[in-house]
Amino acid sequence: MEMTKAKNIFWDVIYDIIGSFFYAMSVYTFAKAANFAPGGLTGIALMLNYLLNLPIGITTMVLNIPLVLISYRIVGRDFLLKTFKSMCFCTIFVDIIFPHFSTYAGSRFMSSLYSGIFLGIGLAFFYMRGSSSGGTDFLTMSIKALRPHLSIGVVTMAIDLVIILLGWPVYGNVDAVLYGLTATILTSLVIDKFMYGMGAGKLLIIITDHGQEIAQRIGDVIGRGSTELKARGSYTKEERDMLFCACSKSQAYMVRRVTQEIDKSAFIMVTETNEVFGEGFLEHTK
């Protein structure tokens, strides 16, 4: 058990370092240099850096404090601790390491493309270990917990749009808004493509001998249960547990990972779902 825990911590740190590297490259090398702000608290920190020359990483962490206090009971202690660790790495890379390197001096449009791509890759590394870079992720998850039928993508885009629009008066030109939108949209696409593909959702079918234990872990990870059935192999005639788990793209990787941690021989099928209705997803309208 201790070895497994140490191994998980080791890989958490490795993913944090890689994710923070791409995050800092996106924010410092491209977005800051091109004078535009993507969505999230990072965008607000970039605008404050532009106006007041405040350090981006530290400012982002300070802005996270009220959101942490608001969402503590909703997102859970483990997620907060992991996210705090990721934010510390991001702060070190953005405020200490990357200022020693030159920034991109090309066109602002290309900066927005590169910023979106690298931010998407960085966030994907955080998400794959059940962490995040903080910011509006706390707010999004809190809203999702209170209004489970709302789409995470819609909630996130609405919050980001308000922040991106602030770039117009701050930077003094509408191009800042357009480049911020470009980077943010590209970030979402890269996260989807990097981790799972472009489907609207995922359906995982899991065949295992540890159905109850895996179902419990899935519930702990995504906050929603799975459907369990008994299945019998047509060739072996042996009975096994079959779990059906419909979830978002950002949750599918975690479900697969916890399943393999419990049962390395589990048979897992991951399929695309175009639409999923019910609690935690879209409400079906007649």
Side-chain angles (χ1 to χ4, degrees):
M1 183 65 72
E2 290 298 325
M3 285 292 294
T4 301
K5 185 176 180 180
K7 184 179 179 181
N8 284 334
I9 293 174
F10 171 78
W11 283 111
D12 283 346
V13 171
I14 295 298
Y15 274 61
D16 276 340
I17 292 174
I18 297 172
S20 298
F21 174 84
F22 284 108
Y23 173 91
M25 185 186 299
S26 166
V27 172
Y28 194 91
T29 306
F30 296 103
K32 180 182 183 298
N35 289 334
F36 71 85
L41 292 189
T42 301
I44 297 177
L46 278 166
M47 288 185 275
L48 290 175
N49 174 265
Y50 178 80
L51 295 172
L52 305 172
N53 201 32
L54 297 177
I56 300 169
I58 292 295
T59 302
T60 303
M61 290 197 71
V62 171
L63 291 173
N64 268 291
I65 293 174
L67 295 183
V68 169
L69 296 177
I70 292 171
S71 60
Y72 176 77
R73 292 186 177 181
I74 296 174
V75 301
R77 178 174 174 271
D78 290 342
F79 179 77
L80 283 177
L81 290 176
K82 281 192 171 187
T83 297
F84 177 74
K85 175 167 55 65
S86 299
M87 287 192 297
C88 288
F89 278 105
C90 287
T91 300
I92 292 170
F93 273 86
V94 173
D95 287 348
I96 299 176
I97 296 177
F98 267 77
H100 293 289
F101 298 94
S102 60
T103 57
Y104 180 71
S107 72
R108 295 176 76 190
F109 176 68
M110 292 303 297
S111 289
S112 70
L113 295 183
Y114 289 129
S115 178
I117 291 171
F118 291 129
L119 183 58
I121 294 174
L123 293 180
F125 273 94
F126 295 143
Y127 294 158
M128 285 191 288
R129 298 302 296 181
S131 181
S132 78
S133 62
T136 52
D137 282 347
F138 291 140
L139 188 57
T140 300
M141 291 185 69
S142 298
I143 294 173
K144 182 68 175 175
L146 296 174
R147 297 289 186 272
H149 63 279
L150 294 178
S151 165
I152 291 178
V154 171
V155 173
T156 302
M157 184 57 71
I159 296 171
D160 285 344
L161 184 59
V162 173
I163 295 171
I164 292 169
L165 286 172
L166 291 175
W168 193 341
V170 170
Y171 294 107
N173 58 80
V174 71
D175 285 348
V177 175
L178 299 178
Y179 296 137
L181 281 172
T182 300
T184 300
I185 292 171
L186 195 56
T187 294
S188 297
L189 293 175
V190 170
I191 290 173
D192 285 343
K193 199 67 176 176
F194 189 83
M195 295 176 71
Y196 313 108
M198 300 300 292
K202 298 289 180 180
L203 173 65
L204 285 85
I205 303 172
I206 304 165
I207 299 176
T208 176
D209 292 319
H210 306 275
Q212 286 290 331
E213 185 179 358
I214 292 174
Q216 179 63 48
R217 285 291 302 280
I218 289 174
D220 293 340
V221 168
I222 68 174
R224 183 173 58 255
S226 54
T227 301
E228 181 179 355
L229 301 173
K230 287 295 182 181
R232 187 177 67 174
S234 60
Y235 178 74
T236 62
K237 306 300 181 183
E238 295 178 354
E239 277 201 349
R240 303 185 73 185
D241 299 322
M242 179 184 292
L243 302 178
F244 290 85
C245 180
C247 59
S248 67
K249 297 180 293 294
S250 60
Q251 296 169 331
Y253 182 90
M254 297 299 296
V255 172
R256 189 181 69 183
R257 186 165 71 86
V258 299
T259 298
Q260 292 174 330
E261 286 177 357
I262 296 173
D263 184 5
K264 294 185 182 301
S265 63
F267 187 77
I268 305 172
M269 292 175 282
V270 183
T271 64
E272 301 281 353
T273 56
N274 292 325
E275 291 183 297
V276 180
F277 298 104
E279 185 177 357
F281 296 95
L282 296 176
E283 290 184 330
H284 184 65
T285 54
K286 296 182 179 180

